[in-house]
Amino acid sequence: MTTDYNPKAIEKKWQNRWAEDGLYEVNEDSSKPKWYALTMFPYTSGDLHIGHWYAMAPSDVHARFKRMQGFNVLHPMGFDAFGLPAENAAIQRGIHPYKWTMQNVENMRRQLKSIGAIYDWRREVITCQPKYYKWTQWFFLKLYQNGLAYRGKAPVNWCPNCQTVLANEQVLGSGGCERCSAVVIRRDLEQWFFRITKYADELMQHEGIDWPERIKIMQNHWVGRSDGTEISFSLDHQAVNESEIRVFTTRPDTTFGVTFMVLAPEHSLVTQLTTSEKKAEVEAYIAKSRRLTEIERLSTEKEKDGVFTGAYVTNRLNGDKVPIWIADYVLLGYGTGAVMAVPAHDERDFAFAKKYNLPIRVVIAPPDWQGQDLEEAYIGSGTMINSGQFDGLSDEKGIEAISDFLAERGWGGRTVSYKLRDWLISRQRYWGAPIPIIYCDGCGIVPVPEKELPVLLPEDAEFKPTGESPLKYNEQFVNTTCPQCSGKAKRETDTMDTFMCSSWYFLRYTSPNTDNMPFDENNIRYWMPVDLYTGGAEHAVMHLLYARFFTKAIRDIELVEFSEPFNRLFNQGIIIAQKQKMSKSKGNVVNPDAYVGELGADAVRTYLMFVAPWEQGGEWNDSGISGISRWFNRLWKLVINNYKAKNENTNKELKRKLHQTIKKVTDNLEAIRFNTMISTLMEFTNYLGTIKKAGSITAGEWRQSVETLLVLLAPTAPHLTEELWQRIGNSYSIHNHPWPVWDEELTKDEVITLVIQINGKMRDKLLAPASITEEEARHLTLSRQKVKTYIDDKTITKFIYIPKRLINLVVK
RNA sequence: GGGGAAGUGUCGGAACUGGCAGACGAGCAUGAUUUAGGAUCAUGUGCCGAAAGGCGUGGGGGUUCAAAUCCCCCCUUCCCCA
């Protein structure tokens, strides 16, 4: 039976067979080492594009490799199914979010199956299903009971178009909404928060986990720990109870240079402090700054402006009266919402002082400074001056000395500040997990009892084009009774940020059908933590930081025993087309289904891995994928057509090439270097091609070589190899075949090429046995005719010999 | 402005701890074969040069017997943050 390679037919055939046999069903098995290979689950957008393939196909290859190596491999798949687009579809097209989402799931599941991955669909997780979000709510209650969830008022990013709160990460650099681009404004709302800041320091520690350096750096920037000093300025004001205003600074050594103070416009003391003649001006300024986004306020492009409140504080170190200003470059949420301004030594303060003609007092002497006015802020180091008893100290020593001095007198001291803020999880939306909280006039905030979970989303919700949450107006949902006093009460109508759903889905895969707990303890102990987590780098600070926080939080609640969910993280790059990111508007979107239909899933999988290093991302190119197709066709014929041996002696070179190939393919897979792994397999195929023509190995060697090649290629091209495996008369399934091992001794070359350089330039080559000594090499080199013409009448001043590599003669 | 990654043929990309630059694939060229197909096979393909040879990894300098790889300065691109 010799037919042509027909990927369409064989792929369908084997996918059906594998599904029928449950070949990839995975169960806990303590007799095998486990391997948890996780790919970030996709959002239910409706269509599996080439970017999904780029994320999923290579990770499946790696998981299959581990499986063949004898690991019990969990490589699950599911759907991140809550989120705004489903709700927009409901508003625009009148289709219920659940229906829209599940239709998308159907389609994407079908497309996912065409990849030919080892997903065990019995373990599928869909976050919008009640059996899943019941446990999302349960975790909320656990966090609440343990003081890690709280309700608070806070200025939030509000998109007037979507009518919802956005996380900082969801606001574009331009200050627009991530989804609709409308200008985001600031607004105060009662919200639910998770106390992620409690874990700020632990989140900056990545010891013991193998993550890309740049992701760790990005997370640490996001947490933004800054060690500094808090300084109290005394306040004496009849309208205000407080007797001080505290500021945070990393430069307490410049405290004698403070010439004004700046408060955030939202600072709680501003209204009381403002004098009557300044009131109108201040109020106008506050109104103006409310319209600006945080990004705009902090932008270095924007000129710093502000308003004097008419009030003063006193600098305790030198008794100076310091005027209090407000300016929008100071944020309430960072530090104390107040900064001491030292124009001589801070760029922003300098610009501000120049603009409003405020004094500039130098307290750190710049090099060669003669007392003249500064042209610009001096932010470098130097000796303290104009600082009373601290004069003469270096700025470094001054930081210590002043901090200590303040601490002794109770005027402040060393402290730590973070950029990280608590995680705001409330969303004024329908399509998310409802926050399981009830508000009772008598009892206050009452958590929904566990036995009443899940708090279901009402099916009869009405989706208004205004975008307001339908839950708010659903009487049946809102009105309830208090679990404590049985009186009339109202439900929380906000739902949870979908990052909450994705903070624990990897736990659910271990026990997707456990119904009395979110997961089975034994299964968690068996599978977790994830051994290899792969996905896009765009999740560096959001999902990955939240998932780490969540894990640490439930560790402290004693639900799990580990601190880090993902041992090794790997970020794949982005697949582009025609030098650009793919997008519908550019019309350069590559549709994987079309290529799968024509050239096969195996070719698409292989091409995506071959095109470039996975972490780098690559450009889709039609002639590139046809190169893979050609290789498969050649391989097909090579294996199918009979081999005629013209030699009965075993071939040492073949054995060496075979073992070198096994070694390189294995090492490359382990290191996640798929492109070179594939080129190694191509080289071996080409080598077998020349062997076949010559008939230079025995029939037994031929069979062994072909079988090994198929096994090595099996993770990459699972359908093609299964078909050929069967056609050469081997038993089903190649995917249960153990991974080949190599013999290090057999990989070593017996004959080596020594490169001969003269003065560092390559002039000649020498074939020699690997066992050659330096003396022999020198002798052989000097007797070469070509070498003689170069050294001629010159003298050899140096003879460099690098065993098995080269000889370099330095001549004069 | 700060942080990170990267610059290698016509293109995607190889090159282990410094040791033959350009593996593998694409493209192109020539030839073979064929019931003109985006098939298959063979050969060639960094640049200059007739050749000998010389020059070549963004640019400039340095270390070294030897640099794509290490160090310093500069330029460009991309990503993240402000």
Side-chain angles (χ1 to χ4, degrees), chain A residues 135 138-139 504 507-508 511-512 514-520 559:
Chain A
W135 300 111
W138 185 85
F139 279 119
W504 74 280
L507 302 175
R508 187 67 182 170
S511 26
T514 300
D515 57 7
N516 59 337
M517 277 295 276
F519 47 71
D520 182 288
L559 293 167

Side-chain angles (χ1 to χ4, degrees), chain A residues 420-554:
Chain A
L420 181 73
R421 297 177 219 172
D422 276 337
W423 177 10
L424 177 84
I425 59 140
S426 297
R427 294 292 179 273
Q428 290 65 48
R429 279 285 160 187
Y430 172 84
W431 196 231
I435 294 172
I437 287 289
I438 289 167
Y439 301 103
C440 168
D441 284 343
C443 310
I445 296 173
V446 183
V448 172
E450 281 180 28
K451 62 179 189 306
E452 288 176 25
L453 294 181
V455 175
L456 288 170
L457 286 166
E459 283 176 29
D460 60 349
E462 191 187 339
F463 296 90
K464 301 184 180 185
T466 59
E468 284 173 293
S469 171
L471 293 179
K472 241 176 164 165
Y473 303 96
N474 192 300
E475 306 257 323
Q476 280 226 299
F477 178 82
V478 174
N479 296 318
T480 185
T481 52
C482 173
Q484 279 177 20
C485 69
S486 302
K488 280 190 177 176
K490 288 190 183 301
R491 279 191 196 283
E492 168 68 65
T493 57
D494 285 353
T495 52
M496 280 183 253
D497 181 2
T498 56
F499 280 119
M500 176 61 182
C501 308
S502 55
S503 288
W504 74 280
Y505 77 109
F506 44 90
L507 302 175
R508 187 67 182 170
Y509 281 136
T510 67
S511 26
N513 299 310
T514 300
D515 57 7
N516 59 337
M517 277 295 276
F519 47 71
D520 182 288
E521 246 181 274
N522 292 325
N523 289 4
I524 285 284
R525 220 169 271 134
Y526 180 75
W527 290 113
M528 287 299 290
V530 170
D531 294 281
L532 176 62
Y533 193 29
T534 62
E538 68 272 19
H539 291 112
V541 282
M542 298 184 268
H543 164 57
L544 289 170
L545 201 65
Y546 293 144
R548 289 181 66 221
F549 153 70
F550 183 86
T551 300
K552 292 169 195 304
I554 64 170

Side-chain angles (χ1 to χ4, degrees), chain A residues 597-616:
Chain A
E598 195 182 342
L599 301 172
D602 284 338
V604 176
R605 291 166 64 103
T606 309
Y607 175 64
L608 287 173
M609 288 189 291
F610 180 63
V611 67
W614 198 28
E615 69 270 28
Q616 184 187 302

